[in-house]
């Protein structure tokens, strides 16, 4: 790998591409008026994020990001959108309240961004002496079933609640709607 | 002269060039396969229906795919009024590219894989899940009643069949203990009774597992008898109704690329990949033989069985495939724990 000319530049370029994809997807998701396009933006952003995970030596996490967020979450959202609203949404003309909520959201986002920026630039980031984990499937599996087993089980509990809720909503059956 | 060749081989062996060679090779492979699988499909359909099929262009119609490709490429790309232009154009590419990317981890031979990564199996499944989105976006962006119905069908179908497919994949990961496709193939070395398909001492339901995988593969690639997305006699051409020329052509190519990928994955997981059935002379030829046999069986099934009803399709998945695949999962985990505990 090291013998190949400009390999550093190629790696850097791929990294920039991943970061740009993430940001562009997020911007698309936030700025477009059509809801299908914002879901596409979300998907693009997730793919960029998966690339960033890959750069952090976590291929498992990267692929899971694609499998779950692009393959499941985005598809579910689009499906729900298609069932609900096939056409363009009517523009909301109440400019005053839009401005109010928009500025409120902007302030919140700016505060979060400022906090993260402060954390990123002023924190003394120490590199751990030993690598915490090698990011392999075995390491992830072990930590999911030991250190983080409670969180893991709680997530499955949340999914169970969602399934039971869906069943409760749909139990009247097709003919009784 | 020989020195120049050695230098070239050395150059091509360095990683980025090697990847480039594989990339171009894979695209050529998929393109050729897509073209000639159409020929196989048409010839197969004709034979099953007792007619000769394409005969005019070239010997036995062998040049027919080229004529088809030229025809498709020379057609105008119509973007109908009222469609979502960007999504309409992106959808075919979105369907094609995941299949191309996934083919990078398939081990065609012992040392013949573009990338031998440890999470190869997961990579194929995660990219395959983008497929649904492509058909759905294509259908939605077309702004056509048939296309939207088809898109809605595709989602319910793919969601229903992804569950048993992933359950089968988890069973296979437990049996093999790895997600590296090359290692999975290496574990099946020896004669054909070492193939995962026949390893009934690990799990007596192994052939059933293969059957579930195969059925799900048919459903995920939207092939008859599960071709709810296209369903010519009900939905004109489903999600592809508004596509013309190469827009439709790319969808068509992607369908064959996905079939190829599914059959290659089935070969790796269950049929021993590049291992020879007699334990000698293993190589890429065996992989291709097994894979094309599966591809032929897909064509065979398409022209033999009628299309299922939509509720029948969903019932098959939720009432039969998912419980059975859960059963095989539990059974194989119990048997691994009891008899094969390392």
């Amino acid at each position: 790998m090291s013998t190949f000319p400009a390999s550093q530049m190629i790696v850097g370029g791929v990294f920039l591409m991943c970061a740009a994809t993430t940001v562009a997807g997020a911007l698309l998701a936030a700025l477009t008026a059509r809801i299908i396009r914002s879901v596409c933006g979300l998907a693009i952003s997730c793919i960029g994020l998966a690339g960033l995970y890959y750069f952090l030596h976590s291929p498992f996490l990267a692929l899971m990001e694609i499998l779950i967020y692009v393959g499941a979450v985005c598809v579910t959202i689009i499906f729900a959108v298609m069932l609900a609203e096939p056409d363009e949404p009517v523009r909301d003309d109440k400019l005053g309240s839009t401005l109010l909520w928009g500025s409120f959201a902007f302030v919140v986002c700016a505060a979060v961004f400022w906090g993260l920026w402060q954390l990123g630039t002023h924190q003394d980031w120490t590199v751990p002496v030993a690598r915490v984990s090698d990011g392999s499937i075995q390491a992830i599996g072990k930590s999911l079933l030991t250190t983080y087993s409670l969180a893991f089980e709680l997530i499955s509990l949340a999914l169970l609640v969602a399934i039971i809720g869906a069943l409760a909503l749909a139990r009247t059956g097709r003919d009784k709607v | 002269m020989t020195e120049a060749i050695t230098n070239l081989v050395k150059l091509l062996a360095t990683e980025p060039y090697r990847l480039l060679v594989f990339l171009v090779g894979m695209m050529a492979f998929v393109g050729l396969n897509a073209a000639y699988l159409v020929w196989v499909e048409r010839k197969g359909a004709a034979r099953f229906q007792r007619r000769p099929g394409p005969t005019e262009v070239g010997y036995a119609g062998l040049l027919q795919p080229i004529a088809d490709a030229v025809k498709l490429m020379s057609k105008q790309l119509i973007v109908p009024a009222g469609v979502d232009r960007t999504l309409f154009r992106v959808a075919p590419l979105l369907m094609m590219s995941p299949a191309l990317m996934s083919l990078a981890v398939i081990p065609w031979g012992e040392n013949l894989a573009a990338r031998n990564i440890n999470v190869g199996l997961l990579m194929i499944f995660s990219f395959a899940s983008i497929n649904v989105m492509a058909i759905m976006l294509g259908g939605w962006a077309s702004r056509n009643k048939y296309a939207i119905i088809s898109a809605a069908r595709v989602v319910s179908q793919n969601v229903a069949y992804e569950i048993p497919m992933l359950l089968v994949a988890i069973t296979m990961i437990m049996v093999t203990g790895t997600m590296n496709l090359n290692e999975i193939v290496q574990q099946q070395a020896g004669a054909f009774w070492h193939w995962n398909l026949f390893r009934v001492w690990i799990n007596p339901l192994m052939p059933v597992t293969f059957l579930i995988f195969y059925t799900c593969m048919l459903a995920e690639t939207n092939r008859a008898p599960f071709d709810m997305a296209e369903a010519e006699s009900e939905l004109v051409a489903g999600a592809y109704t508004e596509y013309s020329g190469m827009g439709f052509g790319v969808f068509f190519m992607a369908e064959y690329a996905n079939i190829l990928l599914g059959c290659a994955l089935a070969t790796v997981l269950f049929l021993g990949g590049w291992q020879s059935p007699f334990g000698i002379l293993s190589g890429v030829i065996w992989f291709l033989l097994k894979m094309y046999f599966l591809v032929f069986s897909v064509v065979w099934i398409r022209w033999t069985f009628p299309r299922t009803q939509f509720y029948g399709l969903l019932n098959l998945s939720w009432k039969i495939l998912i419980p059975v695949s859960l059963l095989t999962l539990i059974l194989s985990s119990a048997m691994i724990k009891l008899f094969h505990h390392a």
Side-chain angles (χ1 to χ4, degrees), chain B residues 28-154:
Chain B
F29 183 72
V30 167
L32 269 177
N33 265 292
Y36 275 90
L37 286 182
V38 175
W39 178 81
V40 170
E41 180 100 59
R42 292 176 69 172
K43 271 289 188 196
R47 292 297 179 208
F48 287 119
Q49 296 163 353
R50 304 192 68 178
R51 55 189 173 85
T55 50
E56 293 294 318
V57 194
Y59 174 74
L62 269 174
L63 295 178
Q64 186 71 46
I66 297 168
D68 283 348
V70 169
K71 183 192 80 176
L72 278 178
M73 276 190 262
S74 62
K75 275 189 177 173
Q76 187 190 358
L77 270 176
I78 300 169
V79 181
V83 303
D84 191 325
R85 281 174 177 276
T86 325
L87 290 182
F88 187 78
R89 292 206 170 159
V90 164
L93 301 179
L94 199 60
M95 178 130 171
M96 188 75 196
S97 45
L100 277 176
M101 277 193 276
S102 302
L103 281 172
V105 291
I106 296 284
W108 304 97
E110 191 163 6
N111 298 311
L112 198 65
R115 211 83 178 98
N116 184 15
I117 65 173
N118 276 328
V119 284
L121 191 58
L122 184 66
M123 176 169 161
I124 290 180
F125 280 110
S126 61
F127 281 121
S129 67
I130 299 179
N131 238 334
V132 199
M133 211 159 149
I135 301 187
M136 198 161 57
L137 286 179
W140 186 86
S142 298
R143 288 303 176 88
N144 177 311
K145 289 260 177 344
Y146 293 120
I148 288 180
I149 292 173
S150 152
R153 280 181 173 192
V154 160

Side-chain angles (χ1 to χ4, degrees), chain B residues 41-266:
Chain B
E41 180 100 59
R42 292 176 69 172
K43 271 289 188 196
R47 292 297 179 208
F48 287 119
Q49 296 163 353
R50 304 192 68 178
R51 55 189 173 85
T55 50
E56 293 294 318
V57 194
Y59 174 74
L62 269 174
L63 295 178
Q64 186 71 46
I66 297 168
D68 283 348
V70 169
K71 183 192 80 176
L72 278 178
M73 276 190 262
S74 62
K75 275 189 177 173
Q76 187 190 358
L77 270 176
I78 300 169
V79 181
V83 303
D84 191 325
R85 281 174 177 276
T86 325
L87 290 182
F88 187 78
R89 292 206 170 159
V90 164
L93 301 179
L94 199 60
M95 178 130 171
M96 188 75 196
S97 45
L100 277 176
M101 277 193 276
S102 302
L103 281 172
V105 291
I106 296 284
W108 304 97
E110 191 163 6
N111 298 311
L112 198 65
R115 211 83 178 98
N116 184 15
I117 65 173
N118 276 328
V119 284
L121 191 58
L122 184 66
M123 176 169 161
I124 290 180
F125 280 110
S126 61
F127 281 121
S129 67
I130 299 179
N131 238 334
V132 199
M133 211 159 149
I135 301 187
M136 198 161 57
L137 286 179
W140 186 86
S142 298
R143 288 303 176 88
N144 177 311
K145 289 260 177 344
Y146 293 120
I148 288 180
I149 292 173
S150 152
R153 280 181 173 192
V154 160
V155 189
S156 358
Q157 177 182 344
N158 278 271
V159 167
Y161 280 83
E162 212 154 85
I163 299 168
M165 199 165 195
L166 286 174
L167 284 174
V168 165
I170 294 171
T171 312
M172 293 317 292
I173 291 168
M174 277 203 311
V175 168
T176 56
T178 175
M179 288 197 214
N180 186 323
L181 294 177
N182 210 10
E183 271 176 38
I184 291 178
V185 174
Q186 261 151 13
Q187 284 176 4
Q188 304 174 56
F192 61 86
W193 55 85
H194 289 280
W195 294 355
N196 280 333
L197 174 61
F198 301 114
R199 280 172 146 186
V200 282
W201 59 91
I202 291 186
N203 176 357
L205 289 179
M206 217 51 161
V208 180
T209 314
F210 173 70
L211 208 62
I212 295 174
F213 183 87
Y214 187 80
T215 316
C216 294
M217 192 264 288
L218 283 182
E220 291 273 310
T221 50
N222 300 313
R223 286 290 296 193
F226 306 121
D227 57 342
M228 289 298 146
E230 209 172 337
E232 302 93 345
S233 48
E234 304 167 22
L235 294 177
V236 190
Y240 319 139
T241 307
E242 298 288 349
Y243 284 90
S244 66
M246 234 15 218
F248 175 74
V250 172
F251 267 128
F252 216 63
M253 275 172 77
E255 184 180 324
Y256 286 104
N258 279 317
I259 292 168
L260 214 61
L261 178 66
C263 292
L265 193 59

